[in-house]
Amino acid sequence: MKRYSPLLILAGTVIVIQLLTLITGKAFLLTQLTMSAYYVLVAAGLCMVMGYAGQISLGQAGFFAIGGYTTAFLTTIDFSGKTATAVYKILDSMGLLISKENLYGDTVIHISPWISLLAAVIIAAGTAYFLGVPVLRLKGHYLAMATMGFGIIIYRIVLGTPFLGEADGITNVPEFIIFPGVNVSGDFTSRVGNYYIAWLLVIVGMFLLLNLINSRVGRALRSLHGSEDAADSMGVDTARYKVNVFVIGAVFAAVAGFFMTHYNGGIGPSEAGVAKSVRYVAIVAVGGMANLWGSLVMGLVLNFLSLRGVFGHFDDAVFGVILVLMMMFMPEGFIRKSVFNDLKTVILRLLKKEPEKFKQGAEIND
Amino acid sequence: MTELADLSDPLLQIRGLDKSFGGLHAVDNVSFDVMPGTIKAVIGPNGAGKTTLFNMIAGFLPPDSGKVHFRDILLTGMQPFQVAQEGFLRTFQNLKLSSHLSVLNNVLLGYHTRSSAGFFSGMLSLKRSRMEERRAVETVMPILEWLNLDNKCDIEVGNLSFGNQRAVELARALAADPAMLLLDEPASGLNMHETEDLAERIQEICSQGRTVLLVEHDMSLVMDISHEIVVLNFGKKIAEGTPSEIQKNDDVIRIYLGGDDA
């Protein structure tokens, strides 16, 4: 259970931050914190793919967009004039339709977001699978280019497809009622609730990924990062493992895209842009590559600053510069184990205690 | 030298393996058997095709023609991971380890084929998956102790000496409980003392009932521990027999010491 204590600390921090915003009267910050949480989810999934399994993906925004656009398209279909169709009757008999009044007092009937969540996950996972099988045979720059190509294709598709709103994207996406009283929407009254939904999702995601890292599969993934031949020669079906982890990363991005779209009430093509994919890669790189907690912290900090407009017009440029600098000077990332160890050593020395790291260091050179 | 196990069927059958790279005939119609419970060595001068032969046996390189049977399983055409799943494990001349992972995690990778927890049970950390992990650690600890690595479990492999890294590779292969081990130049990069130690280990592995096939440069190691030796030269098998037969073989002497036509 010791493994889960960081998750409890995370949950505690989430609560403390909410209380702080309440006390200081800055509850408006919760909006950006909620959105950051969804971006953190994408980064965590990518961290698994890129940091642990060593497979770079520059198409993560594409999967985010698949999740977002799937639900935006499906839940904005109005069935109110189509009550005679077979599709309506089937959906209605299964209780999968939601009826409500819009601003003008007209009745709108739309599909339950639970259906579109399922669809988003299936489409993203299927796309990742059929993309991953051929593309994950590639390595290094070639894999980066191929996944970036996928990202560009998704971007151009959403930009050029009339029923996906072209450059305007899709708006008026209904709220997602998880159960009565708890819904994902941009409504001011549910701001606190949404903040908790988003971070609960992050905690669940972290729980799943941390478990995975520490499992048999996680070890195989980390090994194939180190040496694919080694993993192969020990009986790991490396091709299948790479595709599976790629699918997991895609599902995390799609789920984040789904929730973000219901939270914002819409989605636009910029979410699918290559600049967004670069941003996710930069976050994982700064976070220390094979470091889920690093991705979480940097994902939160950088996205929060970006959403607050701290970077101004240079938003995308800032992430580009971060990526270049990280690759040049700190390829192992800003938040990495050794930083914590160095910090610990310094603190222990200040406390006049013999740091344990030195003892172990003697053993290494035998 | 331990006595040969008196089992009549060969564990590994290599029949007519052939491989060319452009104009170079790297392995030329090589056939031999490996009997269960024995140590067999493949020797030959540099460029004789030993590593190419090895890679073909382990599924890392498809042969142009020829077949490899392990028990009654056809290994030819299988992926390396499928070969490993049959209990047929290899090590590498140039170590292939995950240098950023701990010694324990590297060795636990060898347990992969003996466990089954997948992505879902891993993510949900199901009880079955956790039990399996515990069993894996319990299984590999004696192997680590046997190779004097038990006090280095948590050290990243990249920080170990070369000799210790070789030991980690051996431990990793043994963690899979292989029926057969392929050792690719296990003594390269080791000093004399380490090589002697290795010879003892290989003999012990064999006495546990495992069959060993090795490619090796170190003649004294090969002569000391092998039950049988195959000699390759320019891709062709030129001799096969016990160490004493090989030492008397005229062709072998000519290759290694230089003869009239050399």
Side-chain angles (χ1 to χ4, degrees):
Chain A
M1 287 302 111
K2 199 182 150 208
R3 204 155 95 197
Y4 300 128
S5 51
L7 284 176
L8 291 176
I9 295 173
L10 173 61
T13 313
V14 167
I15 295 168
V16 167
I17 288 175
Q18 192 265 316
L19 293 177
L20 278 177
T21 58
L22 187 73
I23 294 165
T24 55
K26 296 200 165 159
F28 57 86
L29 290 178
L30 290 180
T31 304
Q32 286 81 38
L33 288 168
T34 306
M35 291 166 78
S36 299
Y38 293 133
Y39 288 132
V40 161
L41 210 56
V42 185
L46 180 62
C47 178
M48 199 65 220
V49 177
M50 197 169 94
Y52 288 94
Q55 309 301 313
I56 189 163
S57 168
L58 269 168
Q60 227 53 18
F63 293 117
F64 184 94
I66 286 177
Y69 272 98
T70 301
T71 193
F73 172 68
L74 289 176
T75 57
T76 49
I77 300 172
D78 184 7
F79 282 94
S80 56
K82 300 169 187 159
T83 48
T85 59
V87 180
Y88 173 87
K89 281 172 185 157
I90 294 167
L91 290 170
D92 194 35
S93 67
M94 292 165 79
L96 297 174
L97 290 171
I98 294 169
S99 169
K100 61 172 191 185
E101 273 184 17
N102 69 6
L103 285 171
Y104 313 104
D106 302 323
T107 305
V108 174
I109 300 171
H110 69 83
I111 201 168
S112 161
W114 284 107
I115 301 294
S116 56
L117 174 60
L118 192 68
V121 168
I122 290 171
I123 294 172
T127 310
Y129 182 82
F130 287 108
L131 175 71
V133 167
V135 155
L136 288 167
R137 289 162 191 255
L138 305 172
K139 290 184 172 64
H141 329 305
Y142 301 102
L143 178 59
M145 280 193 274
T147 50
M148 191 169 96
F150 161 75
I152 292 169
I153 290 168
I154 296 292
Y155 177 66
R156 298 314 303 195
I157 287 176
V158 298
L159 201 60
T161 309
F163 67 79
L164 295 179
E166 294 177 328
D168 297 329
I170 300 174
T171 49
N172 291 323
V173 175
E175 61 193 359
F176 170 35
I177 301 163
I178 299 176
F179 43 83
V182 180
N183 41 25
V184 180
S185 72
D187 189 8
F188 279 120
T189 53
S190 57
R191 189 157 59 189
V192 174
N194 267 287
Y195 167 81
Y196 280 111
I197 291 168
W199 283 96
L200 186 66
L201 208 60
V202 170
I203 291 170
V204 171
M206 290 295 282
F207 169 81
L208 295 175
L209 293 183
L210 287 169
N211 280 341
L212 185 63
I213 289 163
N214 290 306
S215 73
R216 165 181 181 265
V217 169
R219 181 167 48 242
L221 289 171
R222 285 184 290 164
S223 308
L224 79 84
H225 185 186
S227 163
E228 224 171 297
D229 277 345
D232 238 332
S233 70
M234 289 298 127
V236 179
D237 187 349
T238 49
R240 192 169 67 87
Y241 273 53
K242 285 196 283 185
V243 171
N244 285 2
V245 77
F246 192 63
V247 169
I248 289 174
V251 168
F252 268 68
V255 169
F258 168 90
F259 276 90
M260 183 77 107
T261 301
H262 284 284
Y263 181 63
N264 283 342
I267 186 168
S270 73
E271 286 295 351
V274 172
K276 283 275 175 176
S277 289
V278 170
R279 173 179 298 217
Y280 298 128
V281 171
I283 286 166
V284 174
V286 190
M289 289 292 187
N291 184 348
L292 262 184
W293 291 105
S295 292
L296 185 143
V297 172
M298 296 319 294
L300 169 61
V301 170
L302 291 176
N303 278 307
F304 181 74
L305 293 176
S306 162
L307 289 164
R308 290 298 302 165
V310 173
F311 305 138
H313 293 302
F314 304 107
D315 210 25
D316 287 334
V318 166
F319 284 93
V321 168
I322 287 173
L323 191 57
V324 171
L325 290 179
M326 291 309 296
M327 291 301 111
M328 283 175 72
F329 300 112
M330 286 183 190
E332 280 180 51
F334 183 65
I335 299 182
R336 54 187 201 273
K337 247 198 211 146
S338 61
V339 172
F340 290 117
N341 287 340
D342 293 348
L343 216 67
K344 206 163 104 189
T345 313
V346 171
I347 292 167
L348 286 171
R349 201 181 293 164
L350 287 175
L351 295 171
K352 304 265 177 192
K353 275 183 189 165
E354 179 73 5
E356 274 179 42
K357 267 282 141 191
F358 287 143
K359 286 185 205 153
Q360 210 182 10
E363 235 171 56
I364 292 167
N365 299 321
D366 70 341
Chain B
M1 202 163 74
T2 51
E3 261 188 329
L4 287 174
D6 57 356
L7 288 161
S8 48
D9 287 336
L11 186 67
L12 188 74
Q13 283 183 307
I14 294 163
R15 289 289 173 269
L17 277 188
D18 214 274
K19 184 81 191 175
S20 295
F21 297 107
L24 177 74
H25 210 159
V27 173
D28 188 352
N29 194 22
V30 171
S31 305
F32 62 87
D33 290 343
V34 183
M35 300 304 283
T38 64
I39 299 173
K40 188 148 193 165
V42 178
I43 62 169
N46 279 328
K50 303 184 297 284
T51 297
T52 306
L53 177 70
F54 238 52
N55 282 336
M56 284 194 286
I57 297 172
F60 277 78
L61 194 68
D64 294 341
S65 64
K67 283 193 170 83
V68 179
H69 279 275
F70 177 57
R71 298 199 182 101
D72 49 0
I73 305 154
L74 180 66
L75 293 188
T76 312
M78 277 191 184
Q79 298 281 318
F81 76 89
Q82 293 168 319
V83 172
Q85 284 169 354
E86 298 297 341
F88 189 90
L89 270 287
R90 71 167 295 177
T91 64
F92 295 88
Q93 179 183 358
N94 311 312
L95 300 173
K96 299 213 188 243
L97 293 161
S98 304
S99 52
H100 58 295
L101 289 188
S102 69
V103 169
L104 181 64
N105 267 322
N106 266 280
V107 175
L108 282 172
L109 178 66
Y111 197 81
H112 190 85
T113 53
R114 298 166 73 186
S115 44
S116 62
F119 277 81
F120 279 105
S121 62
M123 280 205 272
L124 298 172
S125 193
L126 300 181
K127 195 170 178 212
R128 193 173 67 86
S129 155
R130 278 177 287 137
M131 297 282 279
E132 205 174 65
E133 276 298 284
R134 204 172 313 147
R135 220 176 313 125
V137 175
E138 281 165 13
T139 312
V140 303
M141 278 321 283
I143 299 170
L144 287 165
E145 279 166 33
W146 184 60
L147 289 163
N148 301 322
L149 290 168
D150 51 325
N151 56 350
K152 300 185 180 65
C153 282
D154 297 326
I155 298 176
E156 278 185 22
V157 160
N159 293 331
L160 290 179
S161 72
F162 191 79
N164 276 328
Q165 292 195 15
R166 275 230 176 278
V168 171
E169 243 206 7
L170 187 60
R172 186 178 67 187
L174 288 173
D177 191 22
M180 180 147 195
L181 259 184
L182 266 77
L183 304 176
D184 193 357
E185 306 254 0
S188 84
L190 298 187
N191 62 34
M192 231 159 75
H193 173 74
E194 286 171 327
T195 306
E196 276 169 27
D197 202 42
L198 176 75
E200 270 176 47
R201 302 282 183 219
I202 294 175
Q203 281 176 319
E204 252 182 274
I205 288 167
C206 178
S207 67
Q208 290 163 0
R210 304 186 204 283
T211 307
V212 179
L213 179 63
L214 63 135
V215 161
E216 188 46 65
H217 264 119
D218 191 309
M219 248 346 117
S220 64
L221 174 72
V222 168
M223 292 298 166
D224 281 350
I225 66 168
S226 309
H227 298 117
E228 279 190 301
I229 296 173
V230 168
V231 187
L232 291 187
N233 192 31
F234 292 116
K236 285 197 175 78
K237 183 175 93 172
I238 57 160
E240 183 175 4
T242 62
S244 55
E245 283 167 9
I246 295 297
Q247 278 166 337
K248 287 183 218 130
N249 186 300
D250 289 339
D251 287 336
V252 178
I253 293 168
R254 195 160 55 240
I255 292 167
Y256 274 93
L257 299 177
D260 301 338
D261 56 359

